[in-house]
Amino acid sequence: MGTSSSILKNQKETLEARLKELFDEKAYSTALDKDQRMGRRIHGVDLKKPLNPEQAILMIDLLDHYSIISFPEQGQPTFELGFLERLANHFGAPLPHPKNYANYVEFKKSGEELKLLPKDKQTRSLCDKAFPGNIKCIDGAESPAVYVVTNLPGSGKNEEEQLASGLHWHTDIEFEPVPLSTSMFYVQCVPISREHQNGTWVPDVRPADGFYHPDSNKDLNSRRFDLPLNGETAYADTASAFEDLPKEKQKELEKTQVRRRLRVSDAGWLTPLVYRNPRTGRQSLHSPVWASRGKNVAPVQIDGFSETQTREYLDELEAHVLQQKYRYDHLHQPGDVTIWSNFATLHNAPPVKSKICSPEDARLMYRISCKGEPSYHLPRKDTDEWLAANISPPYQSNI
Ligand SMILES: [Fe+2]
């Protein structure tokens, strides 16, 4: 029997062979960062083409093994977001973003009929107004499943530049009973201008005091605030961080249940802190943070612990996960499709220019997130009951 590292090496060699066999003899993959166990750049795959079931299985396997996979040069300007949405459906059922609707709050409260934002209020239209004739959103940006991550709305050549700090370390939608499994970006524009003094896009702008709990340890805060300054998405590898813990600590964590909820007044439900990937058996820490989005999402509570005990326990884990050896800052390039596992990573949005007066500072990316089981054949076969319970706003891709 091989050691776990030799088994892993064999699995990775097999993945490389399947990549060539199923896509193209010239397809290959490279580490996103040679110092990290997480992350792979996959060359020679054209995501404009539909995947056959064997190719879809390989995609899921690649993400299961590497936690972040990035596909460069996806054919700008001919890429359409329908291609990304089709790809997303293999990983899970797309979860549309409430901000794409005109009346999501009223829909939730009183069952009002759900309406999409009128065309002139859609993020896509606001983006197109910023630098007309220069930057225009690609086709498919109007899909309810697409969340536009950008600094274009409200920007323009006569506007004043504004800066925004990074956010909390978090996992996307970890607070629902079926959490998001996967998120993905397609990148259209990345900033190319540089701030003069230190050669980065933005200065190291920090959030106001009180962003994190005042009793947070100094070392933990310095790790939290150590964010990239060129518009990169910051990631941390919660699978390797778990793997490196002493066996005793792993056993203790495996027994730990966390109460998750959206609002403090919600009863919430218990979920395991350690996620076990059902396909590989690989374990990872699922969102090991106490308060992931300040006041927007209620802090979690460990079953049987007080609020302070929970915070101290999770702060220690967050400090472990945010060590440099588990961190990877992904520098986006136009044409990239980048996919990450929400079960095996934490991430953070970087400090940005949130309003810009030059198209060189534009950051324009499209995110689709999904949940549930992978599907190697499309269309997916999610039942009406499952969709009603887990996909809100209600949505199914037209594929
Ligand atoms: Fe996020």
Side-chain angles (χ1 to χ4, degrees), residues 15 32 52 59 61 65 81 87 102 109 132-133 159 163 174 190 207 251 273 277 289 293 319 342 354-355 379 382 394:
L15 287 172
L32 283 177
N52 65 37
M59 288 287 173
D61 283 352
H65 278 87
L81 292 166
L87 176 70
K109 264 194 201 150
E159 298 297 328
L163 295 169
E174 79 291 356
V190 295
K251 278 190 195 144
L273 178 58
N277 184 306
V289 288
R293 267 151 290 195
N342 281 303
S354 53
K355 232 173 165 193
D382 300 309

Side-chain angles (χ1 to χ4, degrees), residues 4 7 12 99:
S4 64
I7 292 169
K12 289 182 173 171
K99 282 191 180 163

Side-chain angles (χ1 to χ4, degrees), residues 8-24:
L8 203 62
K9 187 167 174 279
N10 287 343
Q11 285 170 343
K12 289 182 173 171
E13 280 167 6
T14 309
L15 287 172
E16 197 70 11
R18 282 165 64 204
L19 184 63
K20 290 182 188 304
E21 184 190 315
L22 295 172
F23 283 96
D24 190 311

Side-chain angles (χ1 to χ4, degrees), residues 193-209:
S193 80
R194 288 286 172 271
E195 198 258 332
H196 295 298
Q197 281 111 1
N198 56 7
T200 57
W201 179 45
V202 287
D204 189 2
V205 46
R206 301 276 170 104
D209 283 352

